[in-house]
Amino acid sequence: MKIAVLGTGGGARCHIAKLGELGHEVLVGTREPAVTLARTEPDMMGTPPLAGFLAEHPGAQLHTFGDAAAASDGVVINGIDGHNAVRALSAIADQLAGKTLIDYAVPFIYRHEPEHPWPTPWGIMPKLEPVDTDSLGERIQRALPRTKVVKSFVTQEQSTVVDPKSVGGGEHTMFVAGDHEDAKRQTVDLLTSYGWTDILDLGPLVSARGMEMYAHLHSAIGFGLGQRFGGHFGIKVVR
Amino acid sequence: MKIAVLGTGGGARCHIAKLGELGHEVLVGTREPAVTLARTEPDMMGTPPLAGFLAEHPGAQLHTFGDAAAASDGVVINGIDGHNAVRALSAIADQLAGKTLIDYAVPFIYRHEPEHPWPTPWGIMPKLEPVDTDSLGERIQRALPRTKVVKSFVTQEQSTVVDPKSVGGGEHTMFVAGDHEDAKRQTVDLLTSYGWTDILDLGPLVSARGMEMYAHLHSAIGFGLGQRFGGHFGIKVVR
């Protein structure tokens, strides 16, 4: 299949690499391909330049966000950071019309003003916006009424989303939520191809609130386990 | 031991009954004992009148909040609802001085104004206040600087907190957070006596944010499992 991945950060690269391994044609979207390819230094998160990554993953082709979305067969993975997602996706609403958009972003705001220190033992904990009575997933769906938004992947690091067996042999739970059953089925099929066996449907997209707000507990569990960055764990719903 | 449980709702009763079974003397705190005992109808949550419950649990004695806290050997479980907890506990700050206070409240606000509908497929989802950059656990600790506050129990129904083996044979994880190591040790000891074997220390009390904010995901998981009320499940941290 032709699957689009919007974004070129560490999380997006996990999906690009895995989808390539699974034999898919991967359409990678970025704002300005020439600018992205010209970078020669790691970004602020320490992610190496994309050019080298693409050289190692010849099945992936770099396009603009809109061209990548338009060329996908139907599934688009949103790896654009939460702060910019609604604006960037709204700009390509036509190219996303009719597609399934799987969103895994946490709507973190990295403001470090003294009046909002948000200190935690593992560093500054970013604030969520929206939170509690709304979610980024719902905001994206409202901004893109012709697109079928599914929230998923968000409750753990993307390196473990694409390799569930690497954590406890795969004995953990992945969640999906969305207002479109066919889009959720596509997401479950994709997750199954990644190796997931316990996928729990949380119902409509309103459940994205809980999935995004879990980010704080995820960080705290990582701290509790002594894994300050890039936690290598999952949670299993025990019935 | 003499252990105080503040509150007489369904969650508090789970702890009262379990502590009695374990041979503890249970000091139950309520605002006005005479008024509580005079009730003959179930409350708004459907909880039966306390008088009948106490008749079945002769090891439990009813006191005012302050008298129950003062008479405990050192551990007080806070079962006062989140909306009223800071005010009710501040009023008995002297009686709580030097004690360990285990708080499991979620700071739900049940406002049903039309402009804040918070609808979900499983009914109105209450709003959290505080949320994200503060927590009820931290608020209680700030209001009671002479008390050692531990946040725990909050990530699942109290009926399963006191009977962990009833869910998946006990193969799930309980969390503790707090700024006082001795108070956390007392909490871990209590949880161990309840039957818990996987107890993860999330560090300082700031981790109460994530534990409280998990309430939304907990509700959504309950919906996903078809358990609309009183979910009978837990989550396990899979390493």
Side-chain angles (χ1 to χ4, degrees), chain A residues 1-5 19 27 68-69 71-77 96 98-102 153 183 186-187 190:
Chain A
M1 279 173 61
K2 293 181 182 176
I3 298 180
V5 178
L19 291 167
L27 307 148
S72 83
D73 287 332
V75 173
V76 180
I77 296 175
L96 286 167
K99 312 274 185 185
T100 291
L101 181 71
I102 306 172
F153 308 172
Q186 287 177 305
T187 306
L190 180 67

Side-chain angles (χ1 to χ4, degrees), chain A residues 202-225:
Chain A
L202 299 182
L205 195 58
V206 69
S207 292
R209 297 176 194 176
M211 296 162 79
E212 294 174 9
M213 291 167 75
Y214 169 75
H216 280 264
L217 186 57
H218 176 81
S219 291
I221 291 171
F223 177 76
L225 294 176

Side-chain angles (χ1 to χ4, degrees), chain A residues 118 128 132-133 216 234 236 238, chain B residues 118 128 132-133 216 234 236 238:
Chain A
W118 310 317
L128 298 175
D132 201 17
T133 57
H216 280 264
K236 176 166 184 63
V238 178
Chain B
W118 308 319
L128 297 174
D132 201 17
T133 57
H216 280 263
K236 173 162 186 65
V238 178

Side-chain angles (χ1 to χ4, degrees), chain A residues 158-178:
Chain A
Q158 300 311 306
S159 55
T160 64
V161 170
V162 301
D163 191 11
K165 299 270 188 286
S166 71
V167 177
E171 287 295 314
H172 44 137
T173 306
M174 175 56 61
F175 305 101
V176 296

Side-chain angles (χ1 to χ4, degrees), chain B residues 1 3 19 22 24 75 77 100-103 148-153 161 164 173-178 180-203 211:
Chain B
M1 280 174 58
I3 298 180
L19 292 167
L22 293 172
H24 297 291
V75 173
I77 296 175
T100 291
L101 181 70
I102 307 173
D103 174 52
K148 294 174 268 192
V149 176
V150 177
K151 194 88 195 188
S152 192
F153 307 173
V161 171
T173 305
M174 175 56 61
F175 306 100
V176 298
H180 303 273
E181 295 304 322
D182 56 335
K184 282 198 283 196
R185 275 195 298 275
Q186 287 177 306
T187 306
V188 168
D189 288 346
L190 180 67
L191 285 164
T192 302
S193 76
Y194 282 1
W196 285 92
T197 54
D198 186 22
I199 304 167
L200 183 61
D201 184 347
L202 300 182
M211 297 162 79

Side-chain angles (χ1 to χ4, degrees), chain A residues 73-105:
Chain A
D73 287 332
V75 173
V76 180
I77 296 175
N78 176 39
I80 302 172
D81 66 282
H83 185 60
N84 294 308
V86 170
R87 190 176 46 200
L89 296 171
S90 295
I92 58 166
D94 286 343
Q95 292 94 322
L96 286 167
K99 312 274 185 185
T100 291
L101 181 71
I102 306 172
D103 174 54
Y104 66 79

